[in-house]
Structure formats: structure tokens, C-alpha cells
Amino acid sequence: MTHHPESTTPPVNRWASLVKRSIHQPGSLEWLESNMGNFLRAALHDCGHWDAIDDIFPEPAPENHWLFDFETNSFMGYFLSQCEGHYGYWSHQYAYRSHFFQIFADPEKQSYYSTGDPPEYVIEALANQGIEVVRWGKFLQSEHPLLRKAKAECQTLNPPLCQSVVTAIWQQSTPDTFLTEWEAHKATYLNQQ
């Protein structure tokens, strides 16, 4: 897993490039079957997940409307990524961690992904396929991209802010509420200077 904590410029979105080069007519069944996985990976890359995505589940298919939810006008599901150095109960080289995502069709709404354990039946089904999904813990959450980005941002403030403040905000919030709470704290801090 490659991290880019010091970089504010995302790497090239190779998934978007693959979607653009598709030989199928956009919107056709062939296009959907061959491109939905790459389309969702490209959208997650745009949300800030620059690391590899090993699997998306449930797998986008006609039966689940390609993970599109008509009530929220968004694509929703989970994705798995390998976390080297973090091991499960029976995995020997790495563990898989899961993330929840919601990609809105409306560009005015902010799409996101967040740490999240899938339902137990999904974890069991993946275990039957030889894939161990390890539940999230506070230790691994400390590697969350939102927290890494905020810690790096602490050093750019004038005067710099101690990173322990960001960690405290992280521990008192959830990945979904952290960004709002961090931005509010940062604005208050800067106004006091």
C-alpha cells in the first residue's frame, strides 16, 4: 500500500484513463460490464483514496443496478484494500480492510469514503473465499487519509499547530464528522492568531 502523506497533488488517475479508453459505447451494457469497477475506482481516487483497491463489493452488476441507489442518487458499497504490516487472525502477509463509499451522481454533492466494517455475513462470505477482512481498530484508523492530511496541514499553519490537537479531534469524532470538526477548529485557531 502506497501512502502519499506529504503530497497535496494526487497521482495520475489511471482508472479514469482506462474508462476514457473503453472501446464500448458509453452507457451500453457492454460499457457498464467492462467499466463500472474502473469508474468507481476513478471516483474514489478523486475522493482522495490514491492507494490500490483490491475489490469492490458487492460487485457492480445489473442485478444490483451497478450499486446505484435511486433514493439517494448515488453509488454505494464497500471496497477492500490490503494493509501490509497489519495482520488478521489467519492471514500471514497482510490483512484486508474495508471502507464504505458513497459516490453521488450530482457533482454538487460531495462524494466520500470512510472506514467501515461490512455486515457480518459479508465478512463470512469473503472468509469462505479465503479473504480475511479484519475489523477496524483505533490503531489502523490512525492511518486514515483524512487524519494524515490534517496532520500534514498542521505544519503549514502560521504558527504551526501541534499534531496532537488533530489526533484528539479524530478520537472524539467519526471519520464522517472529522473534516467538519477539524475545519471549525482550524478556523478558530487561525482567528485567534
Side-chain angles (χ1 to χ4, degrees):
M1 184 160 123
T2 306
H3 294 294
H4 311 275
E6 67 286 338
S7 177
T8 57
T9 305
V12 173
N13 189 336
R14 62 186 174 157
W15 307 110
S17 176
L18 286 172
V19 171
K20 285 180 186 175
R21 292 190 318 235
S22 175
I23 61 171
H24 302 291
Q25 179 67 32
S28 68
L29 182 59
E30 294 83 8
W31 186 93
L32 291 168
E33 287 176 344
S34 64
N35 287 289
M36 275 312 293
N38 291 338
F39 171 81
L40 293 172
R41 284 175 172 85
L44 289 165
H45 182 278
D46 290 342
C47 289
H49 185 83
W50 303 338
D51 297 327
I53 296 174
D54 295 285
D55 200 9
I56 295 175
F57 62 95
E59 184 176 330
E63 298 77 29
N64 59 27
H65 305 286
W66 311 103
L67 302 184
F68 191 77
D69 179 73
F70 292 96
E71 288 182 29
T72 61
N73 198 30
S74 64
F75 296 91
M76 292 191 295
Y78 291 88
F79 68 88
L80 295 178
S81 58
Q82 289 180 12
C83 292
E84 294 178 15
H86 299 283
Y87 308 105
Y89 296 107
W90 47 270
S91 57
H92 300 292
Q93 297 175 347
Y94 52 81
Y96 285 100
R97 298 292 178 164
S98 62
H99 304 75
F100 173 78
F101 68 86
Q102 186 169 21
I103 309 297
F104 288 98
D106 180 356
E108 298 297 316
K109 290 190 176 182
Q110 185 173 0
S111 299
Y112 71 97
Y113 71 96
S114 176
T115 58
D117 290 327
E120 187 63 35
Y121 74 90
V122 173
I123 293 175
E124 290 174 8
L126 291 168
N128 290 337
Q129 298 173 31
I131 299 171
E132 183 178 14
V133 178
V134 182
R135 287 173 176 76
W136 283 94
K138 283 290 183 187
F139 174 73
L140 190 64
Q141 285 193 21
S142 69
E143 294 297 312
H144 194 282
L146 288 175
L147 181 57
R148 289 195 322 256
K149 181 180 177 186
K151 283 183 175 181
E153 194 175 4
C154 282
Q155 303 306 309
T156 66
L157 299 177
N158 189 11
L161 182 64
C162 180
Q163 291 183 359
S164 63
V165 173
V166 178
T167 302
I169 294 169
W170 177 262
Q171 291 173 345
Q172 295 169 6
S173 62
T174 67
D176 293 337
T177 63
F178 170 73
L179 194 57
T180 303
E181 292 178 28
W182 162 240
E183 290 297 331
H185 183 84
K186 184 174 65 175
T188 302
Y189 173 76
L190 291 173
N191 285 337
Q192 293 173 349
Q193 301 308 316

